[in-house]
Amino acid sequence: MKDVLKEKKEKIIGEIEQGGLKKLKKTKLLRLIKDEIQSLSNYWTLLQILEMINKEFDLQISNDIFIELSQIE
């Protein structure tokens, strides 16, 4: 199930270039992976999902921002 994030990361990189991923705003990235977050939420808590996202995308998204954006439909 965690591979969902890896697959999405590869798709995003394919569309915007490798270096572009670091330039992408964190809020924009979270919106791009919204479907994956919802899918993962069936099995994991939001904080566990955030840890997976931070690890997979090599980011430091704060809990507050993540929780706030994950509640926006």
Side-chain angles (χ1 to χ4, degrees):
M1 195 62 178
K2 293 180 186 181
D3 292 335
V4 170
L5 290 175
K6 188 175 213 167
E7 291 172 11
K8 187 64 173 190
K9 177 183 176 184
E10 291 171 2
K11 183 178 178 183
I12 292 171
I13 288 173
E15 293 176 3
I16 64 169
E17 302 176 1
Q18 178 72 28
L21 188 58
K22 289 289 184 187
K23 295 177 186 175
L24 195 61
K25 291 185 179 183
K26 294 173 185 176
T27 54
K28 177 68 173 179
L29 175 66
L30 290 174
R31 285 188 176 99
L32 288 172
I33 62 172
K34 180 181 175 184
D35 292 338
E36 287 72 16
I37 292 170
Q38 288 177 346
S39 175
L40 289 169
S41 69
N42 292 326
Y43 305 98
W44 306 94
T45 67
L46 287 178
L47 294 178
Q48 289 172 319
I49 296 169
L50 175 59
E51 288 178 27
M52 288 185 262
I53 292 170
N54 281 335
K55 183 178 178 182
E56 183 64 42
F57 290 91
D58 192 27
L59 296 172
Q60 294 297 322
I61 300 172
S62 72
N63 294 348
D64 295 335
I65 291 173
F66 180 73
I67 299 296
E68 182 181 323
L69 287 174
S70 64
Q71 294 175 354
I72 297 173
E73 301 260 347

